[in-house]
Amino acid sequence: MARRPTIKDIARRAGVSESAVSFALNDRPGVSQETRARIRRVAEELGWQPNSAARALSGERSGAVGLVLARPAHTLGVESFFLQLVSGIQEVLSAARTALLFQVVEDIDAECAVYRRWWAERRVDGVLVVDPRTHDPRPELLGQLGLPAVMVGEGDLSRAADAVSSVRADDAGAMTRILDHLHGLGHRRIVHVAGLPELAHTARRIEALRTEAALRGLGPGRVRSVVTDYSDAEGAAATRRVLAEPDPPTALVYDNDVMAVAGIAVAAELGIPVPGRLSMVAWDDSALCRVTHPRLTALVRDTAAFGRLAAGELLAVLAGRPPGVRTSEQPRLEPRESTAPPAAHTES
């Protein structure tokens, strides 16, 4: 294995002292512009990169930000949301020549331990924190550590001191749009197949559904939520359970595209036509929603733009801007072939 090039190698190739190389690569005075340019050209030719650990010990930035996911690993490979989110994050970080340090852990305690270790070792300059919880220990921990952070989603930042920003989406408004659509079509028995119950956005969606249903005179017996782990297996199982009830729903709302596609498969298996007897809505639009038959009505939002917003906010905080709250663009509902008025004999 070839060894990493060092400052000594650059000095030898450029014909200058090691101190001159250090001045040039760290943007410090002491060398001419011509010499600085030659040293940087040689460093690039040799493939030299700064040692992040050494830079951290000297008080410089590591040039990296962190992202930790505390979710069941089997749910990540099939869900398009995180792929799009990370794509947007990476787009901004790459342009800023900032690395993304990524790790998947088992639970929230393990995630907090990663933050402590990363900050103690100066592995990252800041972190992007996803999946805000209803009782979330992370903002307070990040505030205590002084670790700059952006919460991706709306969480409780009241105990986060001044270290944590957030970028948020209007989950309640999105649920209102979905219920407006289904209620307008005539649906009165609606089940929301939700995600992980401990996530703050799951709680907001459930509460928004309950509130909007009550405003339309629909009680919990007609409109309700059931929780899952976001996987296709649990989405299918939840669909099978509610459709086997004596008074089954005429419309289902799924918290992601994967569960919605699994739900269509279950309906086909049970001989229930979509949308003839059952309407379906997916929270997140994706290629899956557009190629399945029938095409799924879905909530369309630019998830990559949400990632770009989060990464841009973290870089701005690292550059000195005070932490704050930013809101992403409003999502829109795209009606497709999976929703229609309920069959006359199924509603009362």
Side-chain angles (χ1 to χ4, degrees):
M1 182 182 296
R3 67 178 180 83
R4 291 179 51 168
T6 65
I7 285 180
K8 182 179 292 186
D9 297 325
I10 298 170
R12 186 181 301 114
R13 174 78 66 88
V16 296
S17 67
E18 292 178 34
S19 60
V21 173
S22 178
F23 292 152
L25 297 180
N26 289 290
D27 286 324
R28 293 173 182 165
V31 294
S32 68
Q33 287 300 110
E34 181 182 352
T35 300
R36 189 186 307 274
R38 185 170 79 256
I39 290 171
R40 289 183 172 179
R41 184 170 62 252
V42 169
E44 186 173 350
E45 290 170 355
L46 292 175
W48 179 86
Q49 291 292 332
N51 185 304
S52 58
R55 292 179 64 181
L57 288 172
S58 67
E60 297 182 51
R61 289 185 179 175
S62 68
V65 300
L67 173 63
V68 184
L69 291 182
R71 272 201 187 191
H74 70 276
T75 67
L76 299 177
V78 294
E79 191 177 3
S80 64
F81 174 83
F82 275 112
L83 294 176
Q84 296 177 45
L85 182 74
V86 172
S87 173
I89 290 171
Q90 190 60 43
E91 184 179 340
V92 171
L93 295 182
S94 293
R97 302 188 70 176
T98 299
L100 178 64
L101 190 58
F102 177 76
Q103 189 165 340
V104 178
V105 296
E106 294 182 358
D107 54 37
I108 200 74
D109 291 336
E111 181 178 343
C112 290
V114 170
Y115 294 144
R116 292 188 184 95
R117 186 176 71 253
W118 279 355
W119 192 235
E121 297 173 354
R122 294 300 188 266
R123 298 282 299 279
V124 296
D125 299 317
V127 292
L128 295 161
V129 183
V130 298
D131 289 341
R133 263 64 173 177
T134 49
H135 301 287
D136 201 329
R138 296 172 298 174
E140 184 175 12
L141 170 65
L142 294 166
Q144 290 172 351
L145 293 174
L147 173 54
V150 170
M151 186 74 69
V152 184
E154 189 173 356
D156 180 12
L157 303 182
S158 60
R159 295 179 298 169
D162 297 320
V164 182
S165 284
S166 73
V167 294
R168 62 188 183 186
D170 185 5
D171 288 296
M175 182 60 82
T176 299
R177 292 179 184 85
I178 291 172
L179 196 58
D180 279 342
H181 175 67
L182 293 174
H183 189 267
L185 289 172
H187 293 278
R188 302 296 182 265
R189 297 197 304 275
I190 303 167
V191 170
H192 166 217
V193 182
L196 293 163
E198 65 269 22
L199 300 185
H201 69 254
T202 301
R204 281 196 304 275
R205 294 174 190 181
I206 291 173
E207 181 60 30
L209 180 71
R210 185 183 298 120
T211 299
E212 293 298 325
L215 291 174
R216 294 162 175 80
L218 305 175
R222 286 179 167 261
V223 179
R224 70 187 195 281
S225 301
V226 296
V227 295
T228 71
D229 67 355
Y230 282 113
S231 70
D232 56 332
E234 287 206 14
T239 302
R240 193 171 283 107
R241 284 196 306 272
V242 299
L243 293 181
E245 294 173 352
D247 198 19
T250 64
L252 294 172
V253 179
Y254 295 89
D255 259 4
N256 69 11
D257 54 338
V258 173
M259 293 197 297
V261 172
I264 283 187
V266 169
E269 172 192 323
L270 298 175
I272 300 174
V274 177
R277 284 176 50 199
L278 179 66
S279 287
M280 293 186 171
V281 178
W283 192 274
D284 286 317
D285 190 29
S286 73
L288 282 176
C289 298
R290 297 187 292 274
V291 301
T292 193
H293 181 75
R295 295 190 308 154
L296 278 160
T297 294
L299 194 70
V300 178
R301 54 180 177 172
D302 192 341
T303 305
F306 196 37
R308 291 193 294 270
L309 179 65
E313 174 64 14
L314 182 55
L315 292 179
V317 169
L318 294 176
R321 189 169 77 188
V325 177
R326 318 291 176 218
T327 303
S328 67
E329 292 184 5
Q330 296 292 318
R332 61 181 176 83
L333 189 67
E334 179 74 23
R336 299 190 182 113
E337 292 87 356
S338 69
T339 51
H345 67 280
T346 63
E347 284 290 352
S348 60

